[in-house]
Amino acid sequence: MIPLLITGVFAYYKSSEAIKTKISTYSIQVVNQVSENIQNALARFESDSVDIAFSDIFQKTLISYATLNDWQKTDAELKMQAILAKRFLFFRSVSDVLVYTQNKEKIIAYGDMLFKLKLKSDFLEDIFQETAARKGVPVWLIEDQANEAEPSNSIYRMERYGSAGILLARSFKSLEQGIPIGYIIIRINEKYILNKYKSINLGNGADTFILNRQGVVISSRNPDTKVARLYPDPSFSEALKSHMKEGKYTFNHIISGKRCLIAYTYIPGADWFVVSAIPFFYLNSESTRIGIYIAILGIICFLLALFLSFIVTKSIAKPLHQLVDSMKNVETGNFVVRIEDRSKDEIGEVTNVFNKMVREIKDLIEEVKNKEKLKRIAELKTLQAQINPHFLANTLNTVRWLANIQKADNISSVVTSLMQLLDGCMGKGRELVEFRDEITYVKNYLNIMAYRYYDKFKVHYQIEAEILDCQVPKFILQPIVENSLIHGLGPGGGQGIIVVKGYRAGNDLKMIVRDNGVGIPGDVMDNLLQEKPPEKKDRLSGIGIWNIEERIKLNFGPEYGITIESVPNLYTTVEITIPVIEKEGAELDAKGVDCG
């Protein structure tokens, strides 16, 4: 019963959360769509206000209004009314358009002339101050009978134009001089905005309404929520603003004593919140029904499990005992054990996996034995290989001594250079060397090659003295010079030139090798740094351009490496960039250089 109880509670909880999540997502989508529709409507009115404010008749009238006589003012007002009548005559949601000069003189540009809209002076003054401060940016407000100066008109206007109106107010400037010349106020029936979401049904007891940042109700379909009044719960607007700062568009809140799921969206241009509130009793109704179904299903499953457990136990007990006995045999070191089970159920699969595991363990043991044997042979060969370079170095030392005795300076020079190169190769695992040592390796190599390629090349060194003590990876420059000699100058005719440069550029060390040889074909250069070339036995070492590129990026990062520029039959330039490493405390965790 405990697993069934846990399963039931978990299923009820997850289904309840799933329903709430889906309704929450749906609610956000709905309020987003409502918000988009309202924004489109507001954008239309804002566009209308711009067209009105910048039309010729409005601009000319407001600029020269102080100089007009009464007849000219009346004529201008009639012309404005004629223009706006064409625009709003069949759009009954706009009830009034009022224009004010910079001196607050009123012009009725559109509206019912028998029952004019007259706003209270203090309310109107607040509008002027806010629109002037916004410098032409639209201001959206809500007004009702409390803001009107003549209550006698209120009954007629309420029946004809609605009990509350949404005001679009903005200041505007002269197109020619760019100075403020007046204000425009457009009144829209609140029911026009209400109709954008009135028919939306988010569930039994759900409500949708619009608030501004001050908590004033802009529009509501619930008669208990009064338009143009502060929302009854002051903490609700604060909760909206705090959740918007956190980027959360759904939250829980208690409204009129009922716990509700709140989903909202924000209209930045009007500073409004479009809010939907769905009571939790509606959200939980489906979860409660699901919980009852789960409880009934759990009881049925429990009774069925009692019956099936008796049957299933017999079918699995015997194979399990056999499997346990076989495991004990393997534990003693008997890897010849095999269980015969032809069944296709889970126990049969476990048995097959066990047989496979035992077989693989046996194979692994044999493989480990063979690898240990091969490892011992490899270690012996490695020890033998370590002896040969030292023997070669000692023999070359003897050759150099004999050459000095016999005054064979050329042989002594070649042998000395070769011994110094071998000493670098057998550098006891040191990866970093001073740049002056790297240049010495290059000079020793070129000294040997000078006897092989007689009068084939000349070398120019352009090295800044301040970088000679810097640390560089060993044999980073010699293979590049070797490539220039063998592949650049070797195939060409006549004498070639190799230029070796080294300088500091900020925190980077630049090493450049340039030759005037045959160059590198385009298809070869494209793959030169992308794939490892085959090893060549006639080279000093197994280090090539690809190897150098890999070592640099491995040790210093992808921003360092090699760049190659080549023009066939003209020149080839290889540039190496690494960070400057001072001599003190320089350490580098890198692979050793294989010069074999």
Side-chain angles (χ1 to χ4, degrees):
M1 287 300 294
I2 291 176
L4 287 173
L5 179 62
I6 294 174
T7 302
V9 172
F10 179 76
Y12 172 80
Y13 172 77
K14 296 303 289 184
S15 63
S16 177
E17 288 297 316
I19 292 172
K20 291 175 186 176
T21 300
K22 289 182 179 180
I23 292 180
S24 174
T25 303
Y26 172 70
S27 301
I28 292 176
Q29 292 175 348
V30 169
V31 295
N32 282 338
Q33 186 60 53
V34 171
S35 172
E36 184 176 348
N37 295 338
I38 293 175
Q39 288 186 76
N40 291 336
L42 299 184
R44 174 188 172 178
F45 293 124
E46 291 178 1
S47 178
D48 287 341
S49 70
V50 172
D51 293 343
I52 293 169
F54 294 134
S55 63
D56 291 340
I57 183 64
F58 284 83
Q59 287 279 314
K60 292 178 180 178
T61 299
L62 291 175
I63 292 173
S64 61
Y65 196 79
T67 64
L68 299 179
N69 57 39
D70 292 341
W71 183 88
Q72 290 173 327
K73 291 178 181 179
T74 303
D75 181 63
E77 187 175 59
L78 291 175
K79 288 180 180 179
M80 293 180 184
Q81 292 172 3
I83 292 173
L84 296 188
K86 296 178 182 179
R87 182 184 291 266
F88 297 123
L89 183 61
F90 298 102
F91 190 67
R92 302 302 297 273
S93 296
V94 176
S95 62
D96 302 273
V97 178
L98 305 179
V99 177
Y100 291 86
T101 67
Q102 195 65 17
N103 294 325
K104 314 301 190 301
E105 298 172 284
K106 178 180 176 181
I107 302 173
I108 301 176
Y110 178 76
D112 194 326
M113 302 304 294
L114 297 177
F115 298 93
K116 302 175 183 178
L117 174 63
K118 297 180 180 179
L119 300 174
K120 288 183 177 180
S121 59
D122 55 347
F123 179 69
L124 194 58
E125 188 61 31
D126 291 340
I127 293 177
F128 290 149
Q129 290 180 5
E130 187 171 357
T131 52
R134 298 287 290 273
K135 297 181 180 180
V137 178
V139 177
W140 289 93
L141 305 163
I142 185 73
E143 66 87 25
D144 65 353
Q145 299 173 30
N147 304 122
E148 295 183 4
E150 296 184 6
S152 59
N153 295 338
S154 61
I155 297 176
Y156 173 82
R157 289 188 61 83
M158 182 176 65
E159 293 176 351
R160 190 170 179 84
Y161 305 118
S163 60
I166 295 174
L167 302 182
L168 164 60
R170 72 190 310 163
S171 63
F172 56 95
K173 300 179 180 180
S174 167
L175 287 175
E176 296 179 354
Q177 301 175 1
I179 60 174
I181 59 174
Y183 308 88
I184 184 171
I185 299 176
I186 301 176
R187 183 186 185 277
I188 303 107
N189 191 345
E190 179 269 337
K191 291 182 179 179
Y192 176 76
I193 300 298
L194 176 63
N195 290 333
K196 297 293 182 181
Y197 64 90
K198 185 176 181 180
S199 60
I200 292 175
N201 183 14
L202 291 175
N204 185 24
D207 190 17
T208 304
F209 52 92
I210 302 174
L211 301 179
N212 66 9
R213 187 176 287 272
Q214 289 72 37
V216 177
V217 180
I218 301 298
S219 178
S220 174
R221 64 183 184 183
N222 186 353
D224 296 332
T225 306
K226 302 298 182 181
V227 176
R229 298 288 186 274
L230 286 172
Y231 191 73
D233 182 4
S235 65
F236 183 73
S237 60
E238 295 300 323
L240 281 174
K241 289 183 281 189
S242 64
H243 282 88
M244 186 178 70
K245 288 181 180 179
E246 298 173 1
K248 297 178 181 178
Y249 293 91
T250 60
F251 60 95
N252 299 333
H253 195 81
I254 297 177
I255 297 179
S256 300
K258 300 176 183 177
R259 189 163 175 259
C260 298
L261 173 66
I262 306 299
Y264 73 95
T265 188
Y266 178 65
I267 302 177
D271 201 18
W272 293 351
F273 294 94
V274 180
V275 183
S276 69
I278 306 173
F280 266 77
F281 70 80
Y282 170 74
L283 296 176
N284 293 332
S285 59
E286 289 295 327
S287 301
T288 303
R289 190 179 300 110
I290 291 173
I292 295 173
Y293 293 155
I294 289 173
I296 296 173
L297 183 61
I299 294 173
I300 295 174
C301 290
F302 174 70
L303 296 175
L304 183 61
L306 290 177
F307 173 73
L308 292 178
S309 62
F310 177 75
I311 298 175
V312 173
T313 301
K314 286 187 175 181
S315 65
I316 65 176
K318 184 178 179 181
L320 282 177
H321 285 303
Q322 186 179 5
L323 184 60
V324 170
D325 293 339
S326 299
M327 289 181 178
K328 290 180 178 179
N329 285 332
V330 172
E331 186 179 2
T332 62
N334 182 11
F335 295 103
V336 189
V337 175
R338 180 174 178 81
I339 305 173
E340 295 294 336
D341 191 341
R342 300 180 182 275
S343 62
K344 301 297 183 181
D345 58 8
E346 290 81 358
I347 301 298
E349 292 182 5
V350 172
T351 301
N352 292 332
V353 171
F354 174 77
N355 291 333
K356 182 179 179 181
M357 179 190 70
V358 173
R359 185 170 58 253
E360 289 180 352
I361 290 175
K362 182 180 179 182
D363 294 341
L364 285 173
I365 291 175
E366 294 297 326
E367 184 179 351
V368 168
K369 290 180 180 179
N370 293 331
K371 285 184 177 180
E372 286 295 325
K373 184 184 296 183
L374 293 174
K375 182 180 178 182
R376 287 194 296 271
I377 295 174
E379 289 175 348
L380 180 60
K381 290 183 177 180
T382 301
L383 183 60
Q384 294 172 345
Q386 291 175 348
I387 299 172
N388 292 333
H390 292 284
F391 177 77
L392 177 60
N394 293 332
T395 303
L396 289 173
N397 192 31
T398 302
V399 173
R400 182 183 63 175
W401 179 71
L402 293 174
N404 287 331
I405 293 176
Q406 299 178 15
K407 305 300 181 180
D409 294 336
N410 55 351
I411 297 176
S412 176
S413 175
V414 170
V415 172
T416 300
S417 297
L418 181 57
M419 287 178 63
Q420 291 178 352
L421 282 176
L422 287 175
D423 182 64
C425 291
M426 298 182 296
K428 298 182 180 179
R430 286 193 308 132
E431 171 64 7
L432 291 181
V433 296
E434 293 182 2
F435 188 61
R436 67 174 75 254
D437 294 335
E438 184 66 20
I439 294 298
T440 300
Y441 296 150
V442 172
K443 290 180 178 180
N444 287 329
Y445 170 75
L446 292 176
N447 183 41
I448 296 172
M449 292 295 103
Y451 292 98
R452 177 179 175 183
Y453 296 94
Y454 178 73
D455 201 30
K456 183 68 177 179
F457 64 90
K458 288 186 177 180
V459 184
H460 297 288
Y461 297 93
Q462 301 173 10
I463 310 297
E464 291 183 355
E466 66 179 45
I467 69 171
L468 291 176
D469 292 328
C470 292
Q471 301 285 310
V472 299
K474 185 167 57 176
F475 281 94
I476 194 174
L477 200 57
Q478 181 274 330
I480 306 298
V481 174
E482 187 173 4
N483 271 344
S484 295
L485 178 60
I486 296 176
H487 300 296
L489 303 182
Q495 187 181 66
I497 297 175
I498 298 175
V499 179
V500 180
K501 297 178 64 176
Y503 62 93
R504 179 170 182 166
N507 292 325
D508 294 338
L509 180 62
K510 299 283 188 177
M511 293 170 279
I512 298 174
V513 177
R514 180 181 290 116
D515 66 76
N516 61 347
V518 298
I520 305 173
D523 56 340
V524 175
M525 191 165 66
D526 290 340
N527 298 323
L528 198 59
L529 300 176
Q530 304 299 324
E531 56 185 25
K532 183 177 181 179
E535 294 185 1
K536 296 182 178 181
K537 302 301 182 181
D538 59 343
R539 302 288 297 267
L540 171 65
S541 70
I543 303 174
I545 292 181
W546 179 87
N547 180 278
I548 296 173
E549 173 80 357
E550 288 296 306
R551 289 165 60 205
I552 292 174
K553 293 189 179 302
L554 177 65
N555 291 304
F556 303 120
E559 65 271 24
Y560 299 100
I562 298 175
T563 57
I564 302 175
E565 182 182 355
S566 180
V567 176
N569 299 315
L570 191 57
Y571 73 90
T572 298
T573 300
V574 180
E575 180 179 300
I576 303 172
T577 303
I578 64 172
V580 173
I581 303 174
E582 301 295 344
K583 183 177 180 180
E584 292 77 16
E587 294 183 359
L588 183 62
D589 182 14
K591 304 292 184 182
V593 179
D594 178 14
C595 294

